[in-house]
């Protein structure tokens, strides 16, 4: 693997101008530091108080208050203790994450080289002010928006701002530029890849283009993670249900003449039973376990709900440069003048690769390719050398790509320079569109030229054909160049010649005539090798993929084809098309985004508009990217995915997930983990809601029969938080079942409790609540005391929870076909719940608080027999569901 590490040449001493220290300090005081705004992190107290902003919490607080009001002090304290523990855990997790993010932001302290008081010095970039004269050289990150004063062979990589994959030539004026102002402006955050320059600061901090993007990121995201939205609807509906049920209970009891104290206690019990207190903890566990699994697959989660959001994704809007591609220019093709094509492996190890040519004249073809690459290496100002087992490069990205291609052909730059000593060099200039070098050789001067095809074709009068020098065919060569460019390649041409040694003292542009044209090289930022298979996995999982890039449409289409992104010509749109549609209104833009698959020449604000439109079209949107220009779209999406290796800090801070290996395939693995997390959450919801609803049914049945309250509020909390909570956590951390990517994503409109879940909740509620009521009624009728009847009824509920846990281990498969040992924690949780509950019967202070007492083995056995009835019901339901799906798939 080639590691590109910039080497900084010694700078030249600029003219002595710039601000004085006094002027700089005055402007700094007036305009403020050259920094981007950072949100003020909330205080620990605010984070703590926000943990109570939840309808479930409101219900429990009301239950606690009613317990205190009616003298049940131990119940009220128990509820408050639960709430405080949950809030403390949530505060610790959230506040620690905020502090860690803030600490990461402070690790980077960039600096700048400026003229102050007539002397070149290095200062913190945050102290730059408008009017400062900044000195730049190859490898520097531009610290503010600058207007060029002077430049020498300057090129800047603006891909992280604009998405443009090729370095952009810069100068005070660039001939032929469609925007001379843009060519003389340097943007904060971009990188100098070649040359050196001086520039005057025109904007700092929030006034820069980078600052404008940061301001956009500072606005609250209009999208909400799907899980958060679903749970909000679920808890609100639950709060309404509990309120109505409690009101109905009080009205019915009052009409029957029951004492107000009993009715209040019954309402408290109903509220506690209906609220799945352990659900927030279990959901956090499900997401935390998936976060750990995703980290093992190179996906770091910065926002916990993003785990499930990625699993809900219906469309991925991916950046091209650095996400689908390597963001490294590479020679992938050599075209010799007679049409002979040679492909180079884009991702080959430079120590192992060689040019392979097939056919009768393969040796001759290899030699002709080396002749072309010899010209590419000698007319080259970059360097590529071995340093400590790594390939270290410096210079323009195109020069480095040519040097790498030479290595693949077995050519070394140092050996060639020794063989052909340099006599003179013509550096590349945009107005000339070529670079050339002159080298001593025997009694002749060898000339090597690289540059634009049209220019070198005109310089040449002959060309290489099958190893022979023949008259040039300019029409054929131009057609070859156009064909390569149409495939999204950047095309360079190469030529060589000889002149007499007597002219060595006056070498220049005038000697670049009557050359031999050697051929063309196609360069591109190649698709990562793992991307095509990842695209196939996305398609199999029903997840659409669209490309959003700042590159040319032709280049974008070529990369999309190589990546395996299916599209037709009508699905390629440009930033201009997006602007026109946006002016016509959201409806027109939404029509475009329903069909488009490639968005080219797109600006940062247009990316945000595209994401917003996709959301309006009903998609759960994931956005991937690595640049500053991707930040607003990452923030607006349901889930933003930043690339970790090449990604900017702005992209990472804007994202919910960071892919540490920049591997698009890791996103697909993340989707599988997200879907597994949601499946586990569904299992926990089914378990918690069914148990809570069964408790409500028990209460509602006890009232018309004039029975005492079947379970005390503190017993219900023990049931919901301890015995049920242990098993909820085991379900939440269950292993993926393996078929998460076998079908399409669920509908964005699907609620937490869909039709299937509601059916199973009703079934479990009727079985559990009905059986528990019949047992309680029978015991009261046959002389059991109320405490004894409650004690056994509570055990029956624990048994039902055990059976329900095993039944919920898979939504589709039979309990008898699931490999329980694959999730040993689940089996251990069932045993632990039983052990803890039975042990509590023998602990004096705990048994007294909970109203428990030891039971006989026969009572334990009968309780288990009653609970096993749930197995029959769930197995029949799963069997019917499987048969229905099978008939549907064969229809």
């Amino acid at each position: 693997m080639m590691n590109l590490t910039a080497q900084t040449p010694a700078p030249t001493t600029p003219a002595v101008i710039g601000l004085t220290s006094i002027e700089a300090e005055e402007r700094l005081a007036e305009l403020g530091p050259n920094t981007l705004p950072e949100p003020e992190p909330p205080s620990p107290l605010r984070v703590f108080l926000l943990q109570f902003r939840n309808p479930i919490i409101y219900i429990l607080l009301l239950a606690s208050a009613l317990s205190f009001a009616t003298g049940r002090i131990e119940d009220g304290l128990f509820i408050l203790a639960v709430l405080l523990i949950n809030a403390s855990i949530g505060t610790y997790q959230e506040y620690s994450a905020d502090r860690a993010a803030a600490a990461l932001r402070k690790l980077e302290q960039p600096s700048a080289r400026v003229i102050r008081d007539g002397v070149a010095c290095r200062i913190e970039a945050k102290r730059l002010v408008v009017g400062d004269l900044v000195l730049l050289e190859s490898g520097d990150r531009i610290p503010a928006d600058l207007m060029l004063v002077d430049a020498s062979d300057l090129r800047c990589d603006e891909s992280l701002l604009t998405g443009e994959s090729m370095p952009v030539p810069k100068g005070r004026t660039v001939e032929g530029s469609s925007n001379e102002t843009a060519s003389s402006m340097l943007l904060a955050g971009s990188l100098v890849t070649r040359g050196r320059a001086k520039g005057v600061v025109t904007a700092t901090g929030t006034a820069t283009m980078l600052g404008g993007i940061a301001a956009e990121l500072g606005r609250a995201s209009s999208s909400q993670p799907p899980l958060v939205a679903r749970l909000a609807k679920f808890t609100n509906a639950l709060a309404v249900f509990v309120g109505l049920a409690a009101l109905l209970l009080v009205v019915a009891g009052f009409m029957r003449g029951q004492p107000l104290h009993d009715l209040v206690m019954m309402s408290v019990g109903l509220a506690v039973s209906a609220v799945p207190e352990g659900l927030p903890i279990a959901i956090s566990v499900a997401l935390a376990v998936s976060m750990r699994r995703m980290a093992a697959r190179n996906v770091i989660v910065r926002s916990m709900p993003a785990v499930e959001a990625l699993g809900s994704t219906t469309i991925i809007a991916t950046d091209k440069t650095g996400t689908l591609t390597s963001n490294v220019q590479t020679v992938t093709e050599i075209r010799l003048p007679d049409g002979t094509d040679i492909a180079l492996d884009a991702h080959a190890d430079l120590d192992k690769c060689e040019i392979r040519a097939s056919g009768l004249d393969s040796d001759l073809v290899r030699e002709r390719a080396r002749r072309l690459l010899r010209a590419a290496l000698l007319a080259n100002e970059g360097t590529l050398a071995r340093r400590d087992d790594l390939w270290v490069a410096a210079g323009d990205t195109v020069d480095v790509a040519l040097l790498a291609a030479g290595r693949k052909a077995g050519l070394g730059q140092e050996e060639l320079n020794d063989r052909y000593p340099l006599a003179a060099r013509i550096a590349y200039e945009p107005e000339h569109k070529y670079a050339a070098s002159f080298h001593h050789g025997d009694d002749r001067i060898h000339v090597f030229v690289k540059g634009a095809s049209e220019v070198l074709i005109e310089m040449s009068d002959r060309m290489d054909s099958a190893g022979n020098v023949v008259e040039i065919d300019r029409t054929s060569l131009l057609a070859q160049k156009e064909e390569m460019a149409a495939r999204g390649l950047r095309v360079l041409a190469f030529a060589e010649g000889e002149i007499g040694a007597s002219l060595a003292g006056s070498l220049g542009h005038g000697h670049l005539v009557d050359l031999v044209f050697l051929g063309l090289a196609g360069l591109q930022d190649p698709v990562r090798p793992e991307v095509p298979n990842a695209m196939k996995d996305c398609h199999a999982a029903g997840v659409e993929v669209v490309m959003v890039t700042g590159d040319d449409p032709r280049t974008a289409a070529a990369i999309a084809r190589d990546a395996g992104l299916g599209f037709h010509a009508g699905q390629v749109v440009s930033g201009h098309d997006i602007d026109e549609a946006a002016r016509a209104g959201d409806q027109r833009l939404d029509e475009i985004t329903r069909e488009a698959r490639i968005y080219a020449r797109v600006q940062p604000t247009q990316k945000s508009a595209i994401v917003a439109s996709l959301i309006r079209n009903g998609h759960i949107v994931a956005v991937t990217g690595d640049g500053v220009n991707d930040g607003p779209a990452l923030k607006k999406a349901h889930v933003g995915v930043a690339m970790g290796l090449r990604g900017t800090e702005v992209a990472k801070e804007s994202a919910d997930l960071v892919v540490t290996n920049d591997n698009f395939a890791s996103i697909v693995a993340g989707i599988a983990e997200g879907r597994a997390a949601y499946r586990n959450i569904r299992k926990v919801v089914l378990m918690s809601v069914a148990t809570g609803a069964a408790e409500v049914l028990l209460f509602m049945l006890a009232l018309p029969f004039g029975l005492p309250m079947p379970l005390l509020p503190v017993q219900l909390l023990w049931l919901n938080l301890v015995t049920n909570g242990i098993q909820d956590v085991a379900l939440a951390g269950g292993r993926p079942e393996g078929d998460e990517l076998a079908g399409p994503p669920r509908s964005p409109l699907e609620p937490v409790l869909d039709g299937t879940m509601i059916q199973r909740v009703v079934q479990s509620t009727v079985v559990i609540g009905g059986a528990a009521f019949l047992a309680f009624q029978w015991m009261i009728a046959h002389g059991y005391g109320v405490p004894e009847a409650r004690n056994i009824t509570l055990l029956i509920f624990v048994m039902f929870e055990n059976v329900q846990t095993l039944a919920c281990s898979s939504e589709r498969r039979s309990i008898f076909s699931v490999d329980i040992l694959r999730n040993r924690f689940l089996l251990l949780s069932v045993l632990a719940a039983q052990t803890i509950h039975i042990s509590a019967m023998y602990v004096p202070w705990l048994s007294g608080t909970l109203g428990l007492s030891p039971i006989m083995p026969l009572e334990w056995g009968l309780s288990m027999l009653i609970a096993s009835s749930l197995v029959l019901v769930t197995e029949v339901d799963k069997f019917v569901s499987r048969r229905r799906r099978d008939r549907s798939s064969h229809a």
Side-chain angles (χ1 to χ4, degrees), residues 344 355 370 373-374 377 401-412:
L344 278 73
I355 290 181
R370 289 192 183 96
L373 290 169
R374 179 182 65 181
L377 268 61
L402 295 173
L403 292 173
R407 287 298 314 177
K408 293 177 183 180
L411 299 176

Side-chain angles (χ1 to χ4, degrees), residues 2 4 329 331 344 350 373-385 391-414 416-417 450 523:
M2 180 174 62
L4 302 182
Q329 287 296 309
V331 178
L344 278 73
L350 296 187
L373 290 169
R374 179 182 65 181
L377 268 61
L378 289 170
N380 194 309
E381 295 183 74
T383 61
L384 177 64
W391 287 101
V392 181
D396 181 78
T397 55
V398 172
D399 280 346
V400 171
L402 295 173
L403 292 173
R407 287 298 314 177
K408 293 177 183 180
L411 299 176
Q413 188 182 31
E414 293 181 2
L416 286 175
N417 285 332
K450 67 175 173 64
L523 295 87

Side-chain angles (χ1 to χ4, degrees), residues 829-876:
S829 73
V830 171
L831 298 176
Q834 271 290 315
T835 302
I836 289 172
H837 184 71
I838 293 174
S839 299
M841 297 175 181
Y842 296 90
V843 179
W845 64 269
L846 191 55
S847 62
T849 301
L850 295 175
L852 300 179
S853 59
I855 61 171
M856 301 297 291
L858 179 60
E859 293 170 327
W860 187 92
L862 289 173
S863 298
M864 176 56 72
L865 183 62
I866 292 172
S868 63
S869 62
L870 186 62
V871 174
L872 177 62
V873 175
T874 56
E875 286 300 300
V876 170

Side-chain angles (χ1 to χ4, degrees), residues 576-657:
H576 176 71
D577 298 327
I578 296 299
D579 272 344
E580 285 190 342
R583 283 193 292 269
D586 288 347
Q587 184 176 356
R588 173 57 185 149
L589 181 58
D590 295 348
E591 290 174 0
I592 288 181
T593 59
R594 273 193 287 270
E595 297 295 327
R597 290 296 174 268
I598 298 175
Y599 302 87
R601 290 293 186 207
V602 172
Q603 298 299 316
T605 54
Q606 294 168 338
K607 290 188 177 185
S608 295
I610 291 167
V611 172
S613 178
L614 291 172
I615 293 172
R616 288 195 300 272
N617 281 333
H619 283 291
I620 301 296
V621 182
V623 170
T624 73
D626 62 355
V628 174
N629 62 309
D630 299 315
L634 289 169
K635 186 77 175 288
K636 187 177 288 292
H638 291 103
V639 55
V641 185
M643 300 295 112
L645 290 179
R646 297 183 180 273
T648 61
E649 290 305 311
V650 170
K652 294 174 189 176
E653 287 296 321
S654 305
D656 304 295
L657 308 172

Side-chain angles (χ1 to χ4, degrees), residues 70-277:
T70 55
R72 302 289 299 185
I73 306 300
E74 68 277 12
D75 291 3
L77 290 175
F78 193 86
I79 296 172
L80 285 181
V82 168
L83 294 178
L84 289 173
I85 291 172
N86 283 347
S88 299
I89 294 172
T91 300
Y92 174 78
Q93 291 177 335
E94 191 171 330
Y95 187 69
S96 296
D98 288 342
R99 300 296 295 175
L104 285 174
R105 283 194 293 268
K106 293 180 180 178
L107 289 178
E108 185 182 8
Q109 296 292 340
S111 61
R113 194 162 178 266
V114 300
I115 299 293
R116 288 277 178 89
D117 300 316
V119 178
C121 60
R122 190 167 291 277
I123 64 171
E124 289 181 299
K126 67 181 181 181
R127 300 190 66 82
L128 278 176
V129 295
V130 173
D132 259 325
L133 180 68
V134 179
L135 311 179
L136 297 168
E137 52 197 23
S138 178
D140 283 348
R141 183 74 64 182
I142 297 172
D145 284 358
L146 310 175
M147 176 66 74
L148 281 174
V149 173
D150 186 28
S152 175
D153 193 21
L154 183 66
R155 292 191 183 189
C156 295
D157 179 358
E158 296 180 344
S159 62
L160 297 179
L161 283 165
T162 66
E164 176 65 59
S165 60
M166 295 300 299
V168 180
K170 296 285 185 175
R172 294 188 64 183
T173 58
V174 176
E175 185 178 342
S177 172
S178 61
N179 190 339
E180 294 190 358
T181 300
S183 70
S184 61
M185 284 296 300
L186 304 182
L187 301 177
S190 55
L191 180 70
V192 177
T193 62
R194 175 169 170 170
R196 55 180 60 89
K198 292 186 288 185
V200 175
V201 175
T202 59
T204 61
T206 56
T208 63
M209 177 179 175
L210 180 60
I213 296 174
E216 176 72 18
L217 298 180
R219 299 173 187 168
S221 175
S222 58
S223 62
Q224 193 178 37
L227 181 62
V228 174
R230 291 186 181 105
L231 288 178
K233 291 181 180 179
F234 172 69
T235 53
N236 290 335
L238 185 60
V240 172
F241 168 76
V242 172
L244 291 175
L247 180 62
L248 177 63
L249 183 66
V250 171
V251 171
F254 187 76
M255 292 177 64
R256 292 178 61 87
Q258 287 187 280
L260 181 61
H261 176 272
D262 292 347
L263 291 176
V264 170
M265 287 305 300
M266 191 82 79
S267 298
V268 170
L270 178 65
V272 172
S273 63
V275 174
E277 294 88 353

